[in-house]
Amino acid sequence: MQHLKEHHLDVGLLMTSLDDRQLRELPLLDEPFLVLVSETHELATQATVSPADL
């Protein structure tokens, strides 16, 4: 982050927000999470899966 602030880097890619007012954050992608289960698993019949299901 210091390299960005000192203009040694133009861009950085992060997985989480920084909450740093000296840097501007822009969303790049919005990727869905996928759950892979056996076709015999109880979750296989559900159209969506919540974190509580896991």
Side-chain angles (χ1 to χ4, degrees):
M1 301 304 97
Q2 195 61 36
H3 288 290
L4 286 168
K5 292 177 185 179
E6 294 172 352
H7 306 284
H8 296 288
L9 290 175
D10 295 325
V11 175
L13 297 176
L14 301 171
M15 295 291 294
T16 186
S17 295
L18 289 177
D19 196 31
D20 187 326
R21 290 180 176 227
Q22 291 181 307
L23 300 172
R24 183 171 178 205
E25 297 177 22
L26 301 169
L28 182 62
L29 300 170
D30 184 20
E31 293 290 324
F33 283 93
L34 302 175
V35 175
L36 301 175
V37 296
S38 164
E39 61 186 20
T40 60
H41 192 280
E42 63 185 45
L43 293 177
T45 60
Q46 294 183 208
T48 60
V49 178
S50 72
D53 294 331
L54 301 175

